[in-house]
Amino acid sequence: RPCMATKAIHLASRLPRIATLAPRATPRAYTASRTLISPARAAMTSPKTELVYFRDTYQTSCEAKVVSFEPVEDPGDDGVARFVAVLDRTVAYPAGGGQPSDTGRIVGPGGVAFAVASVASNKDGTVTHLGEFEEEGAAPFNADDEVTVTVDADKRLLHARIHSAGHLLDVAMTNIGFGPDVMVPAKGLHQPDQAYVEYTGKVEGLDKDKLMADLKAEMNKLVSLGGGSAAAMMGYDEAAEACGGELPSYIPKDSTPRVVTIVPDTAGCPCGGTHVANVNEIGSVDVTGVRVKKGTTRVSYTIEGMKDHK
């Protein structure tokens, strides 16, 4: 349903919005997705919970209706009553693809506030919000209650910058000669205290220090040049073309995957995460380590705002 009349909070209203896929040069081969949250998330055609953040990373508030609101059976050692809320739509990002969930609050009738500690997605297409009321003894929400969902704006942007830097690392790897024909992106972690991308493949005699220096230089060059990112839901064939000619086998052929392209004129990949509108928002990047183990090469990185970034 269309968004109800509420003023959405925007972190960067002057910036271009992530909208459609940028034009591409000859796409690089794409054989695996490390950013895919789950087959249900990246290839979803009709989620039960509308994912408002898909349209705009910078929107941090929206109105919604309560679908269900249930108590958590085990309240925990502190005895605080906790609940799980399912809404018809949400601006809150659920944890997945190596990216942490948003946190925030849901405000219901009479200004009753529910603090959201974590957000998760389910195989049935619903998104759950786990948390507790800010005031003890508050009456639980009821189905069809009108509520406002708001997430921590600073945390949202930091997570988007970290995740986007992981995609930028893939581009930099290709640009310096370690593309998917040499090392295939396998999985990644994009959290404030640790971030890395793991690649399937290794290079005999790899000079790790040189690789780190070359990647750092290339990534910071790409950041300084800037360039609009893009995200769009596509038909299967269009998505396959956008991702270099093929999609991972676990994405159903009758689905409409969401494809993210972090740098114009490069291939995209299926991704359900939040991303910056322009790579110059990522800020300075440092490549902090390269580890090779059992045919997997892990490249670790930090950006401004992360723990231990220098």
Side-chain angles (χ1 to χ4, degrees):
R1 64 186 176 84
C3 184
M4 301 173 63
T6 183
K7 182 178 285 187
I9 301 171
H10 289 275
L11 295 174
S13 59
R14 299 186 303 276
L15 294 170
R17 288 290 174 261
I18 298 178
T20 56
L21 189 67
R24 302 181 309 283
T26 302
R28 60 184 174 88
Y30 179 84
T31 56
S33 172
R34 62 173 176 77
T35 52
L36 188 63
I37 293 169
S38 70
R41 284 285 307 284
M44 199 178 294
T45 55
S46 56
K48 291 183 179 179
T49 303
E50 180 188 344
L51 308 178
V52 176
Y53 62 84
F54 261 15
R55 295 194 300 271
D56 189 353
T57 289
Y58 304 91
Q59 182 174 340
T60 57
S61 182
C62 77
E63 293 190 3
K65 278 188 177 182
V66 175
V67 174
S68 66
F69 194 80
E70 302 293 338
V72 175
E73 292 184 3
D74 183 2
D77 296 336
D78 58 9
V80 175
R82 292 180 174 83
F83 299 83
V84 173
V86 175
L87 311 175
D88 66 337
R89 63 202 309 264
T90 187
V91 74
Y93 176 78
Q99 179 178 334
S101 80
D102 282 322
T103 59
R105 65 204 306 249
I106 300 172
V107 177
V112 175
F114 179 77
V116 177
S118 64
V119 188
S121 60
N122 303 305
K123 291 182 179 180
D124 66 357
T126 60
V127 172
T128 55
H129 307 72
L130 173 66
E132 61 191 65
F133 285 102
E134 295 180 0
E135 293 187 10
E136 186 176 355
F141 296 143
N142 297 308
D144 294 327
D145 277 351
E146 300 280 355
V147 298
T148 300
V149 189
T150 304
V151 300
D152 184 316
D154 292 336
K155 186 179 294 185
R156 158 65 65 81
L157 184 55
L158 176 61
H159 293 174
R161 290 173 53 234
I162 297 170
H163 198 156
S164 295
H167 283 239
L168 192 69
L169 176 58
D170 288 347
V171 175
M173 286 283 283
T174 296
N175 288 355
I176 67 169
F178 292 91
D181 55 330
V182 179
M183 293 187 187
V184 179
K187 69 176 183 178
L189 186 70
H190 316 288
Q191 299 187 358
D193 60 348
Q194 185 183 23
Y196 61 77
V197 178
E198 290 187 348
Y199 298 87
T200 301
K202 64 179 182 179
V203 176
E204 296 298 331
L206 178 67
D207 186 333
K208 297 179 182 179
D209 290 335
K210 184 177 187 304
L211 177 61
M212 290 168 59
D214 289 349
L215 283 172
K216 178 179 178 178
E218 181 65 19
M219 292 179 75
N220 282 295
K221 182 183 80 173
L222 290 168
V223 168
S224 65
L225 290 173
S229 301
M233 303 293 287
M234 300 181 178
Y236 184 90
D237 291 341
E238 182 185 6
E241 181 186 355
C243 294
E246 61 181 328
L247 293 172
S249 60
Y250 49 74
I251 296 184
K253 294 186 181 297
D254 60 350
S255 65
T256 54
R258 181 177 186 257
V259 174
V260 171
T261 303
I262 204 65
V263 175
D265 301 323
T266 63
C269 66
C271 182
T274 60
H275 291 279
V276 296
N278 192 298
V279 294
N280 60 22
E281 295 177 69
I282 293 172
S284 69
V285 181
D286 190 17
V287 178
T288 58
V290 174
R291 187 191 77 176
V292 181
K293 185 177 181 181
K294 296 181 179 179
T296 297
T297 300
R298 175 185 289 186
V299 181
S300 299
Y301 66 92
T302 63
I303 66 168
E304 292 177 69
M306 286 182 60
K307 179 182 178 182
D308 300 329
H309 179 72
K310 297 178 181 180

